[in-house]
Structures are given as C-alpha cells and as structure tokens.
Amino acid sequence: MLLVLQNAIDVLLKSALPSLFTGAGAAAVTFSADSWDFDRLAADPIAGEPGPEDAVDELLFDPAAPAGPYALTRLPYPGPKRVYLRSTSGELVALRNTEVVWNVADAASFSVVPAAGRVLSGFDYLHVMYGVVAAGTRLKSLHKLALQITGADAESAERAFALSLAVLVMNREALQRSASFFWTAGGYQADGTLKTLRFASGASPGPTQRTLVLEVEVELRLERLVGDDDGGAIEAIPSPGRSPGSKVVGIDPAVPS
C-alpha cells in the first residue's frame, strides 16, 4: 500500500537532485518489499451502519480546456461538495463555489468556470470530495520499507545517500500529502492517508549501497456504497422451528400473520 509513496520519493529525488539521479552514471533508487502489521486496536474492524460518508473522485483535467463538463462516479448525497485542482506532485488548490457550476438536472454533473487570474498550468486532475450514503470502517496498518541507493562507487553512493536524506527530511510533510490514495471499484472505496513517516534506521550492505529503513503508519477508510436497492424493510420472518415456506410471523403489528 506504499506504491504511491515509493513513486513520490523517486520523483522527488530525481527532480531535487538531477545531477545525482538522472543521466549517465546516475545513482539508482530501489525499494524492498513492503511489509506491514495491522494495528491491534484496529485489526478486527466492524462496519458501521449506513450513513453519510465522504467520497473522493480524481477526474482528469485539461488546463487548456477547463470547462468540462465533468461527472462524479457516484450520485452525491445532498450537502456541500469541495472541488480542488490537483497537480501530479499532490498539491491541492481549492476552487471557489463560483468557479464550479452544478447541473440542476443531474446532481453528479458539473462544469468549471475559472475565475479571472486563476493559474491552471501544472494541474492535471480535479480532486472532488462529496457526500454519499455508505457503510464504512477504519483500519490502521504499520509498515516497514527499505529504500536502497546504489552508486557507481563508494564515494558517490555516500554523497547521494546523505543528500537524499536532506531532501526527504526537508520535504517529509509534502511526501505524506502526496502519498495519499483513493481507489474505487464495484461500489467499494479505499481511502488511504499517511499519518506518520519516520526514518528508523540505516545500513551499508555493500561499498556502493546505502539503505534507509522507513516506518510508515497508514490509516484506511474502507466503505461500501449503499445503492437504491439496499436496506429494504423486512416484512416477515419465519417463526422459530418452522421451515421456509411455512406460516410466518409478521413483524409489523398492522400486518396480519
């Protein structure tokens, strides 16, 4: 569940230290297999009763043709909706209510009307948060991940590792924000947030290799969206000891058994 974080670290190091991590003789960044334990207090999750929950959509955005229209993947629950511009690096910029025009005939459809002077370049997604009816729960996982830097020789490996530490430490909060993820399919949603990112330990497994062990806490919000056909009322149940098809006992006093 740390693939987004791994990609963010790789992109960050190459953009911040291009002379070390790009081109001929560049240092290489690799990661060990991600292993984790579930938090004991959250290892036996119980789904709550259906109710209003936050849903998130990531919609492709073209700065050259910003208007859209756009369509949410699910029917929104009545209430406020928040629309942000999102960059590839994870930066979020909120759009004003006046910049988002919702279709009165289709609650899931909207257009974007950027305000004068709104900077759109560099943003390639719309990040939309809105309410849906869902049953959900939360689950925490504690991860260990090793980042390995391999240089052409011992000196270049040491230099690349030390400067990488400087980049990662100074940009830790930005990495946490950019490593969040939102996945939906088949009426289910997994919303992951990095709560902590720690630098736990390091090692030199070889002259040209340096390893940094990261400890990461991820909080997952897991949801099942409730459709129009969910939650139908139960009109009757079989009496104890009776087989299906036999006389049933009504649970509504107004309905004769």
Side-chain angles (χ1 to χ4, degrees):
M1 286 182 286
L2 297 185
L3 180 60
V4 180
L5 174 63
Q6 295 175 30
N7 292 337
I9 290 175
D10 186 64
V11 170
L12 175 62
L13 292 179
K14 288 178 179 177
S15 62
L17 303 170
S19 63
L20 298 180
F21 289 97
T22 61
V29 178
T30 56
F31 297 90
S32 69
D34 174 20
S35 63
W36 66 85
D37 296 310
F38 289 111
D39 185 292
R40 294 195 175 194
L41 296 179
D44 189 20
I46 299 175
E49 292 295 324
E53 294 281 354
D54 278 340
V56 176
D57 279 347
E58 297 279 345
L59 307 177
L60 287 173
F61 176 74
D62 182 359
Y70 305 91
L72 303 178
T73 60
R74 289 142 289 184
L75 186 66
Y77 186 80
K81 307 172 188 68
R82 291 160 285 175
V83 182
Y84 301 82
L85 298 171
R86 186 175 78 77
S87 67
T88 303
S89 64
E91 178 187 3
L92 293 177
V93 174
L95 292 176
R96 302 187 188 98
N97 290 339
T98 54
E99 296 177 276
V100 181
V101 180
W102 292 93
N103 188 331
V104 294
D106 180 1
S109 179
F110 67 97
S111 300
V112 172
V113 183
R118 169 69 71 186
V119 176
L120 302 177
S121 61
F123 297 98
D124 46 14
Y125 285 93
L126 291 178
H127 179 96
V128 188
M129 300 180 68
Y130 58 100
V132 294
V133 178
T137 189
R138 293 182 184 271
L139 189 61
K140 287 184 180 180
S141 52
L142 309 174
H143 299 246
K144 279 194 174 181
L145 177 71
L147 181 162
Q148 182 169 281
I149 294 176
T150 304
D153 52 49
E155 183 180 351
S156 61
E158 186 80 355
R159 182 171 63 253
F161 182 75
L163 290 171
S164 294
L165 275 177
V167 171
L168 296 176
V169 169
M170 300 306 296
N171 293 277
R172 180 167 62 173
E173 292 184 1
L175 278 174
Q176 286 183 236
R177 291 194 299 270
S178 63
S180 299
F181 56 86
F182 312 93
W183 294 325
T184 63
Y188 290 85
Q189 174 172 299
D191 176 355
T193 304
L194 263 70
K195 305 300 288 185
T196 59
L197 173 61
R198 300 187 181 95
F199 305 105
S201 61
S204 298
T208 63
Q209 296 176 332
R210 300 293 184 271
T211 299
L212 173 65
V213 176
L214 304 173
E215 292 182 347
V216 181
E217 179 184 335
V218 175
E219 182 175 88
L220 284 169
R221 191 175 77 237
L222 308 173
E223 296 177 354
R224 181 181 70 86
L225 301 178
V226 177
D228 294 336
D229 56 347
D230 288 321
I234 301 174
E235 296 181 356
I237 57 174
S239 298
R242 294 184 181 271
S243 60
S246 60
K247 182 181 175 66
V248 296
V249 177
I251 60 175
D252 186 344
V255 177
S257 54

